[in-house]
Amino acid sequence: MASIPQGVYTRDHWPAVGGTAGGLRKRWWGGYEVELRADVIIIGSGAGGGVMAAELAEGGLDVLVLEEGGYHGTEEFTADGAAMARKLYRDGGLTFALGTPPVMFSEGRCVGGSTTINGGMSWRTPDMILERWRREDGISDATPDKMARYFERVESFISARLNDPETLGRDNELLKQGADKKGWRIIQNIRNTVHCAGSNNCAFGCPTGAKQSTLVSYLPRALRFGARVYADCRVDKLLLDERENRARGVSGRVIESNGQPSHRFVAHAPVVVVCCGSVQTPALLARSGLKSPSGQLGHNLALHPNAKLVALFDEDVEAYKGAHQFYQVREFQEQGIGVLTAINVPPGIIAMSMPMYGERLGALMRDYQRMVIAGCLIEDSVTGRVRVTPGGKPVCTYQLARRDAQQAVRAMSLLSELMFTAGAKRIILPFEGVPELTSIDDVRWLRNQHIGRESMELLTVHMMGTARMGDDPRRHVCDPRGQLYGARGVYLADASVFPSPIGVNPMETVMTLATRSAEKLLRDHQSGRLLS
Amino acid sequence: MATLSDFSMPQVMRRALLALCPIALPEERIDAEDLAETMVDNAELFLRSLAPAGRAAIVVGTIGFEMAAALRPSSLGRTFSRLPREQARAYFDSWWHSKNPALHNFAKGVKSMLAMTYYELPSVRQELRYHPDAWINKVARERLARFSDEIAAHAERLAAPAPLLDAVGDDDHASVGASASASDERRHNHG
């Protein structure tokens, strides 16, 4: 069990949570609820919530962070994938956007949110995307120059940097060899690490503390400036002053270790910042009875669908040794294939996704050490939707566009070509019913095949855009400052505000937009408008 | 509805999964080392972490899979877990290759769940020569020995005041910057 830092409260602290900060209030229909107060309530502690908490707390506001997941410190993170998935991921990491094909997605549910379980890629929003947001969505300061000061501040706190050369693993070395032989543009990855040790366990929590997730960067900073972080607290709904149509707080329940809700709480604040991610944010707003005047809340879900292949080499690769995604192939970025890369995936997860079973699967997996797992990121051209069930749960739907399906086939062809060039002997594709590739001739064959969408195995960790930001209340859900149209005091700060997919890993964009929104909130606070 | 630790796998489901383990995964090893019970225990843990709707779908699907075997004439009324191994394998294979997406997806899903539990077993990891914990310990020690000063400096930076409004100032300047090498890389890639 992790030692809990001062200022972090878990289910074990209830109902006497936070000492004098909390109070017990008798409810008129029976029972008690804990009553909390703050200037600002932040829901979620990931890329958006962590940044908001630190910036606003340092700016002198009384900040309360409410996180549905538990607090797990660095010392708890191990390579036991199944145990970590149960601990750190929503629904054990097995959630799907329904459609053809269903797309598996993962969300972090722990203090630090998805920054605890991501690969730490720290890329600025591409210039062409900022330009699109400025031109089409009216975000007037979305220019590389004006955003630079926010990017630089974020990069400083999360230590965005290149990996140390000695942490280059053999899988990424092979990726580089293949790309160099093909003459494709390959770049070193920038990640939020203080000297990544190359343990390649990012997806299950960084066991060395090198990755600067908000768990070890922004949240300690927030605590340093007096913020309180309440783990195991699920917010059920936002509370609104209906006469003035503005935020007045939230209500929710503490979640016990068996998943059952226990203590009720109500927290009061004139400002509520929702940072629950592109799936949970629209669900929470909808559960609270909030609708955007544009009718676009929950629409425009983009996923950056990605597919992964397994390339088998004649040598031991030992892909778990080395930094996560040391390199990225960016040759095809302008063509909508944002990234080609090699990644480490533990045997259990690989075996899950292989289109075979029994002895055949066993025979393949015996070559685990000779595998390079390589994947792509596709900038999608269609969008999905998040709906809410009568019970308040989000349901995602996403129909892969034919063009994007073709892009997935093309990306897998390109990656196969690269891997054969690097010396791979066999390649197993994420397309059911498509035979293994054994030579570069097979890649040419693959390019001419029609692969049905239903046979594709796709997944994502990049959900974006269900509450998009912009200057037009008829098209957008929140204004360029992140404030929800139609409800004063409700701000959004996560990937749901992206007006479009960005084609690169989204963490730094989320953090930067959150920093920018925090600045605007603090300016309002300075002039006395924020809390009045 | 039962959730998390309240959830225990129904016996009929447990029987079906125990019979399925040596079919979905390498038979010889599972039989030789008697791994099926451990796998199914781990599957139960996994099911506890799922949302109730997802868990219910797997439970209902598995029970349906178990019972539907009895409807095949060749089964002579026996459910999946009571079939001889080869007959059970043929039955699972018929679901795996079914044109009916519900049957096909169930077969894929339940195999995935069991595959995850199997390849997390220490003896199986040993066979694959997959020793991440030893590697993690080694590189973590080396990192601390080599970079402790920089690690401490970054921790200090995180604790030091740097108010946002002072830092970002007006539109014209910024106060803190990324490492030079990362900045160069960005200029190169985002021109």
Side-chain angles (χ1 to χ4, degrees), chain A residues 55 58 78-82 85-86 89-92 94 109 122-127 145-146 148-150 152-153 155-162 164 166 185 187-190 194-201 207-212 216-218 220-221 224-225 256-260 316 318 320-322 330 333 344-349 351-359 361-363 365-370 432 457 504 508 515 518-519 522-523 526, chain B residues 1-6 21-29 42-52 54 58 89-90 92-94 96-97 104-105 107-109 111-120 124-125 127-144 146-147 150-152 154-179 181-186 188-191:
Chain A
E55 299 293 14
E58 189 178 11
T78 71
D80 183 347
R86 291 195 295 270
Y89 285 71
R90 182 177 296 285
D91 298 335
L94 275 192
R109 189 178 61 179
S122 304
W123 290 99
R124 293 186 183 186
T125 324
D127 293 357
D145 284 349
K146 288 184 176 170
R149 55 201 171 135
Y150 305 116
E152 285 169 7
R153 182 172 173 85
E155 287 158 7
S156 166
F157 288 135
I158 64 172
S159 183
R161 62 167 75 188
L162 302 175
D164 294 324
E166 61 275 20
R185 190 163 76 95
I187 59 173
Q188 281 196 49
N189 209 345
I190 298 173
V194 178
H195 294 292
C196 170
S199 66
N200 223 332
N201 196 61
T208 68
K211 184 178 75 175
Q212 295 299 294
V216 299
S217 58
Y218 272 102
R221 188 169 172 80
R224 152 80 175 80
F225 293 108
E256 293 301 320
S257 59
N258 65 359
Q260 298 282 21
D316 272 2
E318 295 187 301
Y320 66 95
K321 295 180 176 177
R330 294 287 188 92
Q333 194 171 11
N344 170 49
V345 182
I349 310 289
M352 279 175 75
S353 61
M354 288 294 99
M356 59 191 76
Y357 68 90
E359 195 44 52
L361 177 64
M365 290 302 296
R366 275 191 279 280
D367 279 334
Y368 175 73
Q369 294 295 9
R370 297 175 173 208
E432 217 177 336
E457 295 257 3
V504 295
E508 189 171 331
T515 306
E519 182 209 356
L522 288 175
R523 292 206 188 284
Q526 221 172 28
Chain B
M1 182 173 289
T3 60
L4 291 172
S5 60
D6 299 333
C21 284
I23 291 171
L25 289 143
E27 177 180 14
E28 202 174 316
R29 189 182 188 99
N42 288 343
E44 188 171 66
L45 278 179
F46 169 74
L47 288 169
R48 286 177 186 172
S49 69
L50 292 187
I58 294 174
R89 196 188 317 277
F92 178 70
D93 199 63
S94 71
W96 181 271
H97 289 109
H104 174 63
N105 287 333
K108 267 174 62 180
K111 168 253 157 181
S112 294
M113 180 174 73
L114 293 177
M116 187 177 67
T117 62
Y118 177 76
Y119 285 103
E120 290 290 336
V124 177
R125 284 181 163 206
E127 186 200 11
L128 300 183
R129 294 176 292 122
Y130 178 62
H131 308 298
D133 295 323
W135 173 252
I136 289 169
N137 289 338
K138 174 179 176 289
V139 294
R141 273 198 311 274
E142 287 171 358
R143 171 178 177 266
L144 285 176
R146 193 165 159 208
F147 299 116
E150 282 185 66
I151 294 167
H154 186 70
E156 276 173 32
R157 172 182 279 193
L158 287 173
L164 174 60
L165 297 187
D166 296 350
V168 297
D170 297 326
D171 284 355
D172 302 329
H173 65 275
S175 69
V176 287
S179 65
S181 54
S183 295
D184 292 345
E185 188 77 7
R186 284 174 205 292
H188 179 67
N189 292 308
H190 291 291

Side-chain angles (χ1 to χ4, degrees), chain A residues 72 108 135 214 247 373 391 410 450 455 457 468 529:
Chain A
H72 303 287
R135 197 180 59 241
T214 57
I373 319 298
R410 177 157 184 258
H450 169 74
S455 70
E457 295 257 3
R468 60 186 181 185
R529 290 197 304 267

